[in-house]
Amino acid sequence: MKKIKLLALLILSVFTFASCSTTTEKDVEVQIDEDQTENQKVQDDDSKDDEKNTTIEVGKDEQTGEEYLSIQEVLDIYEHEFPNTKIKKISFDEDDSIWRYKIEGFSDTEEYEIKIDANNGEILKKEKENESENKVAIEDQQIQNIQFLVDKAIEEAGDGYFLDEWEVEEDDGIIELEITVDNEQGDDIDYVYNLETKELIEKD
């Protein structure tokens, strides 16, 4: 009788151990699945953040670290407001503590002007007027050289210098980019480039 009881207890212990082992394995598998799901979710979120970052293209103030809309972004705003027109002048400067882009354009019969907040793209001013004077248009390829030459001027000026303003317009048949850089002591340097050839015309 004792042997029967012992055998029954042994069998019961085996089943209990097997049941616990199965439960533990299932718990481990569930935990692993949850961890993998969470890791995949984090990776997906990181990928989305990377995608967002790569779609944003802005200029940056090396002195303050403040970021601005890129030249292409403000040109898109201009072209949305005044489609099928040409550009004759572009500038970037500070006015009343607001960094802004100013773009002037033209068509066969009218002239256009728009001022855009460089931080948020807000249109500060927009106007057009009748005009038939002959003008020279700034080409897309020339516009693409602006940022390169601005960066070059700041680098050449040396440590402590930062961008004050730049302006692009035609002078005697040449599209020129004039860049002014300053430092904290109030010293400024002006660079004038041929925007098409990227040649330095004048440094003052």
Side-chain angles (χ1 to χ4, degrees):
M1 188 68 178
K2 289 182 179 181
K3 290 181 179 181
I4 293 174
K5 289 182 177 180
L6 287 173
L7 182 59
L9 288 172
L10 181 59
I11 293 172
L12 180 61
S13 298
V14 170
F15 278 116
T16 302
F17 177 77
S19 175
C20 291
S21 298
T22 302
T23 302
T24 302
E25 290 173 359
K26 287 181 179 179
D27 290 343
V28 170
E29 290 175 357
V30 169
Q31 184 62 44
I32 291 174
D33 289 342
E34 289 177 350
D35 290 343
Q36 290 176 341
T37 301
E38 183 64 27
N39 289 337
Q40 184 62 45
K41 182 179 179 182
V42 171
Q43 292 174 357
D44 291 344
D45 290 342
D46 290 342
S47 297
K48 290 178 180 178
D49 289 339
D50 290 340
E51 289 175 2
K52 290 178 181 177
N53 291 335
T54 55
T55 58
I56 300 174
E57 181 185 354
V58 295
K60 188 172 183 179
D61 188 321
E62 295 300 330
Q63 183 190 24
T64 65
E66 192 169 7
E67 294 183 337
Y68 304 114
L69 296 177
S70 68
I71 298 169
Q72 186 56 56
E73 286 175 313
V74 295
L75 288 176
D76 289 343
I77 295 173
Y78 168 86
E79 290 170 0
H80 179 267
E81 298 297 325
F82 304 121
N84 303 316
T85 63
K86 297 179 180 180
I87 295 172
K88 70 169 185 175
K89 184 176 180 178
I90 312 172
S91 62
F92 176 78
D93 61 13
E94 184 181 20
D95 184 50
D96 291 334
S97 300
I98 298 176
W99 284 96
R100 63 178 188 174
Y101 286 95
K102 178 181 175 182
I103 303 176
E104 297 180 25
F106 65 95
S107 64
D108 291 337
T109 58
E110 294 179 316
E111 282 192 341
Y112 311 90
E113 179 182 312
I114 191 169
K115 294 180 181 178
I116 300 169
D117 189 315
N119 292 103
N120 54 31
E122 178 187 355
I123 296 175
L124 305 173
K125 178 182 179 181
K126 183 177 71 170
E127 63 181 19
K128 66 178 180 178
E129 59 183 20
N130 294 329
E131 183 63 54
S132 58
E133 180 184 348
N134 291 331
K135 304 169 190 68
V136 178
I138 303 172
E139 303 295 335
D140 291 341
Q141 183 58 50
Q142 295 169 333
I143 291 173
Q144 292 175 16
N145 292 333
I146 295 175
Q147 192 61 57
F148 169 79
L149 292 172
V150 169
D151 293 340
K152 181 179 179 180
I154 295 173
E155 181 179 0
E156 185 177 313
D159 293 339
Y161 279 89
F162 50 88
L163 178 64
D164 179 56
E165 62 181 0
W166 58 257
E167 181 178 272
V168 177
E169 66 177 333
E170 180 265 339
D171 183 24
D172 198 19
I174 298 175
I175 302 298
E176 294 183 350
L177 167 62
E178 182 175 354
I179 304 164
T180 301
V181 295
D182 287 336
N183 62 18
E184 293 291 350
Q185 289 70 45
D187 303 320
D188 63 79
I189 306 174
D190 292 327
Y191 296 86
V192 180
Y193 291 95
N194 181 320
L195 194 54
E196 182 173 3
T197 65
K198 296 185 280 190
E199 175 189 3
L200 179 62
I201 298 173
E202 182 181 354
K203 177 181 176 181
D204 184 14

